[in-house]
Amino acid sequence: MNRVMHSSRIAACSQRIGPLGETRPDAGSGDAQWPSSRTRSSASSQPDFDTPENIKRAGIKAIEQGKTKYTNVDGIPELKAAIARKFKRENGLDYKPSQISVGTGGKQVLYNAFVATLNPGDEVIIPAPYWVSYPDMVLLAGGTPVAVETTFESRFKMKPEQLARAVTPNTKWLIFNSPSNPTGAAYTRAELKALTDVLIQHPQVWILSDDIYEHLVYDEFEFTTPAQVEPALYDRTLTLNGVSKAYCMTGWRIGYAAGPESLIKAMATIQSQSTSNPSSISQWASVEALDGPQDFIPKHNDVFKQRRDLVVSMLNQANGLQCPKPQGAFYVYPSCAGTMGRKAPSGKKLATDEDFVTELLESEGVAVVQGTAFGLGPAFRISYATKTEALEEACRRIQRFCGNLT
Ligand SMILES: Cc1ncc(COP(=O)(O)O)c(C=O)c1O
């Protein structure tokens, strides 16, 4: 009785979604780790490097100087100016401060954008595999997520004809995430242009480009973003980024976006009635992150690239696995289709990727996340934002697990 009463108090929108990190993969639970338990939810989808010293010092200085009061709701002018410089310098994009919004992580900025724009019946196209928060945020905001499944053969990239087929008169947004969580796939300029060519024909569709992994690209890959590749889409593109990944600042919680002034204003109004400004201290540290030395980024990328190469090579030597080599982020997304129908040491016949990850955890103590949770299987995701020795051992165990399947 009590349970019924309690659940009837919970709004329908929050019952449509699930929590991160418990039964569903969070940003962090996809790492190959051991020992581990099923419910482990370490926040490890984040660089294992510490926040650079100069950025830490800027945070400490802000505290010492008493910059510890409320600030403008969506960002101090100094940070907005640093963000404008970043967009100009790195993406060739011009934004005024009134076109920029700063929030408590990219996550809050995304959420604000959906709440500010979605009405019941509005559709949001999300290429799969996708970051699990996208569909849930869309649902929370009252919209309808529309997944477009990519394939291993296309290296998880959506084709223009797939996008054209998915667009309807009700489509409000396309979420574009390159490099991607969970696959690491990144679109070349030509691949992106083919998509923007489709979007030009559909003025009702806005583009939310989640560029959070912009700096984590390897092998000379050239990062590009939709508003840069197709200036005609500038007026209907929200370009999202943040300091979490490239600057190793996940806990500082600063994300930002730039786009049309009217949208940015509506997002600020929503933020003003929920959290108000993001931490003043983190904002000052982020000014230093964006304006200060950037030389640690290529150094970190050298390590990430070595780990990616190691993991891809070791997984491709495992029986029944096929692991594409992605261009960016810190994830790989191997197919385990070749193991389906085989028997694990426990005697269980593997029928799904969930069986695969459960049996792998049970027999080898290695935790990975099943691909179906991200909208495309049979596959799994491994994050290589963890110590190289740990990764190597995890891959050895995966090889042994696959080798023992009968
Ligand atoms: C694809 C993607 N977008 C956005 C975010 C949000 O990052 P934050 O809220 O730390 O800025 C994440 C975090 O894992 C992510 O993977």
Side-chain angles (χ1 to χ4, degrees):
M1 176 65 182
N2 250 349
R3 275 183 51 196
V4 173
M5 272 177 60
H6 281 141
S7 76
S8 69
R9 292 196 69 83
I10 307 300
C13 73
S14 61
Q15 294 191 32
R16 279 200 295 268
I17 65 163
L20 286 178
E22 290 177 22
T23 55
R24 299 151 59 87
D26 79 0
S29 61
D31 305 316
Q33 313 243 8
W34 82 99
S36 164
S37 76
R38 200 78 186 92
T39 52
R40 189 176 180 288
S41 73
S42 72
S44 44
S45 182
Q46 53 188 341
D48 51 318
F49 306 111
D50 203 6
T51 305
E53 273 312 309
N54 61 311
I55 301 176
K56 286 187 193 171
R57 275 200 307 276
I60 293 166
K61 195 165 145 207
I63 296 173
E64 287 171 349
Q65 293 182 339
K67 292 172 171 163
T68 52
K69 308 279 196 288
Y70 290 132
T71 73
N72 291 6
V73 164
D74 68 348
I76 53 175
E78 291 82 353
L79 180 52
K80 288 194 174 191
I83 292 167
R85 284 191 288 276
K86 176 261 178 274
F87 277 122
K88 184 72 185 161
R89 181 178 71 235
E90 295 179 347
N91 312 110
L93 292 170
D94 284 301
Y95 289 108
K96 295 182 285 190
S98 55
Q99 292 180 281
I100 293 171
S101 187
V102 183
T104 302
K107 221 167 181 179
Q108 185 185 25
V109 179
L110 274 166
Y111 184 67
N112 289 342
F114 292 136
V115 172
T117 54
L118 293 179
N119 292 312
D122 286 344
E123 295 168 5
V124 178
I125 296 177
I126 309 177
Y130 42 71
W131 182 43
V132 290
S133 288
Y134 295 141
D136 279 0
M137 283 192 192
V138 169
L139 286 169
L140 262 181
T144 305
V146 177
V148 174
E149 266 192 29
T150 64
T151 60
F152 280 86
E153 294 67 43
S154 73
R155 291 291 184 261
F156 314 112
K157 294 182 210 175
M158 183 171 63
K159 301 269 185 207
E161 50 282 11
Q162 287 185 291
L163 174 59
R165 272 198 304 274
V167 171
T168 76
N170 296 326
T171 308
K172 200 141 213 182
W173 288 102
L174 160 70
I175 301 182
F176 179 75
N177 176 219
S178 165
S180 143
N181 177 5
T183 63
Y187 289 69
T188 63
R189 180 183 282 269
E191 288 164 341
L192 178 49
K193 181 75 171 70
L195 296 181
T196 58
D197 284 350
V198 173
L199 294 171
I200 281 182
Q201 294 157 33
H202 301 282
Q204 80 279 22
V205 185
W206 285 38
I207 304 98
L208 204 161
S209 184
D210 180 345
D211 296 357
I212 200 106
Y213 293 101
E214 164 176 14
H215 291 105
L216 304 183
V217 289
Y218 316 115
D219 309 324
E220 322 277 299
F221 183 87
E222 186 212 357
F223 171 87
T224 49
T225 190
Q228 167 192 30
V229 166
E230 183 43 84
L233 295 177
Y234 175 88
D235 288 333
R236 48 183 167 111
T237 301
L238 185 68
T239 304
L240 178 106
N241 214 315
V243 295
S244 284
K245 312 290 177 178
Y247 298 95
C248 314
M249 293 175 72
T250 47
W252 297 75
R253 309 307 302 129
I254 295 291
Y256 57 84
E261 220 170 288
S262 56
L263 172 60
I264 295 294
K265 203 167 159 213
M267 288 163 60
T269 304
I270 289 160
Q271 189 160 300
S272 76
Q273 297 297 8
S274 54
T275 59
S276 297
N277 62 276
S279 153
S280 57
I281 301 152
S282 300
Q283 291 190 66
W284 284 105
S286 299
V287 172
E288 173 63 19
L290 295 178
D291 280 349
Q294 309 285 306
D295 53 323
F296 58 88
I297 296 177
K299 287 185 196 146
H300 290 177
N301 283 358
D302 283 346
V303 177
F304 282 138
K305 176 182 145 51
Q306 279 171 22
R307 290 183 188 160
R308 176 204 62 176
D309 292 347
L310 173 82
V311 173
V312 168
S313 150
M314 287 187 77
L315 292 181
N316 277 325
Q317 290 167 47
N319 267 345
L321 299 188
Q322 268 194 314
C323 187
K325 189 189 273 193
Q327 299 84 355
F330 36 61
Y331 309 101
V332 296
Y333 202 77
S335 161
C336 55
T339 66
M340 295 295 99
R342 318 233 338 241
K343 243 195 230 154
S346 69
K348 165 101 184 157
K349 200 167 167 190
L350 304 182
T352 63
D353 53 14
E354 186 154 15
D355 290 344
F356 180 94
V357 308
T358 309
E359 292 299 319
L360 174 65
L361 183 64
E362 243 132 68
S363 41
E364 296 288 353
V366 176
V368 296
V369 181
Q370 68 276 19
T372 41
F374 303 103
L376 190 77
F380 58 95
R381 184 191 78 170
I382 294 186
S383 160
Y384 50 89
T386 189
K387 298 279 170 279
T388 308
E389 306 74 56
L391 272 174
E392 207 169 346
E393 176 61 17
C395 289
R396 257 197 296 273
R397 291 176 182 219
I398 294 172
Q399 287 179 342
R400 188 167 62 198
F401 173 75
C402 292
N404 287 339
L405 296 174
T406 52

